[in-house]
Amino acid sequence: MHLSAALLLSVLPLGALAGLPHQGSLRRRHFEHARSVTRRGPTYKLVDDYNKDTFFDMFDFFTESDPTHGRVTFLGKDDAKKANLTYVQDDGTIVMAVDDYTTLSPGQNRNSIHINSKKKYDAGSLIIADMWSMPHGCSTWPAYWTVGSPWPDHGEVDILENVNEATFNQITAHTGDSCELQNSVKTTGRLVGTKCTSSADSNSGCPFVTDQVQGNLTYGRGFNMNGGGVFAHTWTNDAITVWFFPRGQVPQDITDGNPNPDNWGTPAALFQSSDTCNIEQSFQQHQIVFDITLCGDWAGAAYASSGCPGTCDQAVADPNNFKFAKFKLAGLKVYQQQ
C-alpha cells in the first residue's frame, strides 16, 4: 500500500511541492526486514554520477527537427537555460521542462528539450534514474530511453513513455535484426506485443504495459502525486531487465549506493535472449536520452481518443497546458558490473 497524497505532502519540504521531491525514511521497517533476506549476485561499481552539479554538462542538446514530427522546437544548451527549460532548484532537483509561458497560434511549435548523454554504455551496465515527477497533460509525449546508432540496428529501450493523460507506463524495445519475445517471461508488466523488430514504417516494438500493477503510480499525475519513484535497468548479453519502484518502496540497497538487483523481485519488463531474439547483437553502445515532444506521431494520433479537448495544435498553443510538463530528477547513476 502506498502513502496517501496528503501524508506524502506533509513530509515533503515546501520547495519540493511542485514536483513532490525528496524521500525521507519511508518504509523503514520494510527495508530493515529486506536486509535480513538479501541475496547477493554480481557487484556493481559506480562509473558515472549525473547529479545536480554535473547533469547538464554530461549531455548533448539535440536541436534538429523532431524525428517523430512533434509540434516542438528543441533548444540548444545555452538557449534552454536562458528560456528556463533546464535548471537546478535550490534543493538540488534537476529540472527539464517545456515552455509554459508563451502563447502561440495553433500550428506553431513550442520550445522544448531533447538531450542525449555524451557517453555511450554497453552490456554490463546498470542505470538508475531517481525521478520526483514527470511531464503529463494533453498533447505531451515525454520519454526517458536509451538508444544506439544506427537505429534500429543497435536497438532502443524506452524505460518511461506514454502520451497525453495516460495513467500507466509503457516499456518498449526496438531492434533491427529479427527479434521475437517469448510469452513465458515472468514480469509485473503485461507484454502486449512480441515483435521487437522495428523500422520507419513499423515502429510499435515489443511493449510491456503497467496498467495492471501498482495502481496508477507508474506514469503521469498518479506518479507525480506519489512523489515519483526509481527506474532501474540492468543490461547483460542475455537480457535487459527493467524495474520500477514507487516512492516509499525503493530498495535500501539503491538508496545506500550498493545496488543488488538479485534482491529486487519480479521486474516490470524483461527482454531476454532466446532462439528468436539475440540481445547481444541487437543492443549496442547506447546513449541515455530524455525528451519532451508534443503531438507528433503518437500523442497527436491518440489525442482525440485520450479525452482531451479541441485539437492537439490548439492544446500546444496554450501555455497553461504545460505547467506540469516537467521532468524533475534527484539524479541518475550508471554502474558497471564487476
Side-chain angles (χ1 to χ4, degrees), residues 71 98-110 137-140 294 303 309 311-325:
R71 188 65 73 193
V98 174
D99 171 358
D100 64 357
Y101 50 83
T102 304
T103 300
L104 304 173
S105 298
Q108 286 186 292
N109 286 355
R110 182 165 294 279
C138 289
S139 81
T140 61
L294 307 173
Y303 188 87
T311 68
C312 204
D313 279 351
Q314 288 171 337
V316 172
D318 185 352
N320 293 312
N321 291 326
F322 304 101
K323 299 301 181 184
F324 302 106

Side-chain angles (χ1 to χ4, degrees), residues 258-272:
N258 186 29
N260 180 13
D262 277 10
N263 205 47
W264 292 350
T266 304
L270 174 59
F271 306 99
Q272 194 168 44

Side-chain angles (χ1 to χ4, degrees), residues 72-301:
V72 290
T73 297
F74 293 129
L75 299 188
K77 182 179 180 180
D78 292 341
D79 288 337
K81 183 176 181 180
K82 290 176 183 176
N84 211 36
L85 303 191
T86 56
Y87 57 95
V88 177
Q89 294 180 175
D90 291 342
D91 62 4
T93 298
I94 300 156
V95 182
M96 295 168 278
V98 174
D99 171 358
D100 64 357
Y101 50 83
T102 304
T103 300
L104 304 173
S105 298
Q108 286 186 292
N109 286 355
R110 182 165 294 279
N111 289 338
S112 187
I113 58 95
H114 178 139
I115 60 175
N116 310 308
S117 65
K118 294 180 178 179
K119 189 169 179 180
K120 297 179 180 180
Y121 301 96
D122 226 316
S125 300
L126 163 60
I127 303 176
I128 298 177
D130 190 340
M131 200 175 299
W132 298 118
S133 66
M134 60 160 295
H136 70 90
C138 289
S139 81
T140 61
W141 178 2
Y144 157 53
W145 46 300
T146 70
V147 65
S149 181
W151 184 93
D153 297 333
H154 286 181
E156 172 183 334
V157 183
D158 303 318
I159 306 300
L160 172 63
E161 185 181 35
N162 213 321
V163 297
N164 299 317
E165 288 287 17
T167 59
F168 59 87
N169 187 24
Q170 182 165 303
I171 305 166
T172 308
H174 303 269
T175 66
D177 290 335
S178 178
C179 177
E180 189 89 13
L181 293 187
Q182 304 296 313
N183 283 308
S184 57
V185 295
K186 183 180 180 182
T187 60
T188 59
R190 181 169 58 92
L191 181 63
V192 296
T194 60
K195 184 181 178 183
C196 303
T197 308
S198 301
S199 67
D201 298 323
S202 179
N203 191 24
S204 297
C206 46
F208 289 82
V209 297
T210 60
D211 58 345
Q212 296 180 350
V213 64
Q214 296 171 325
N216 65 344
L217 304 183
T218 65
Y219 190 89
R221 185 176 184 275
F223 177 94
N224 293 354
M225 290 302 295
N226 195 57
V230 168
F231 294 92
H233 74 278
T234 58
W235 176 5
T236 70
N237 286 330
D238 298 320
I240 295 174
T241 311
V242 183
W243 289 264
F244 171 67
F245 304 106
R247 190 68 61 199
Q249 300 177 35
V250 180
Q252 188 65 32
D253 55 74
I254 290 179
T255 304
D256 291 341
N258 186 29
N260 180 13
D262 277 10
N263 205 47
W264 292 350
T266 304
L270 174 59
F271 306 99
Q272 194 168 44
S273 277
S274 67
D275 292 339
T276 57
C277 186
N278 188 317
I279 294 296
E280 183 176 5
Q281 291 182 3
S282 298
F283 299 90
Q284 300 176 37
Q285 289 285 288
H286 276 207
Q287 293 174 283
I288 300 168
V289 184
F290 290 89
D291 78 278
I292 314 169
T293 192
L294 307 173
C295 299
D297 297 340
W298 187 3

Side-chain angles (χ1 to χ4, degrees), residues 8-38:
L8 183 63
L9 289 172
S10 71
V11 301
L12 293 175
L14 291 177
L17 292 181
L20 298 183
H22 293 312
Q23 176 184 7
S25 56
L26 304 176
R27 298 294 177 98
R28 183 68 61 188
R29 286 181 296 174
H30 168 75
F31 293 145
E32 293 299 331
H33 172 70
R35 285 175 175 161
S36 69
V37 295
T38 297

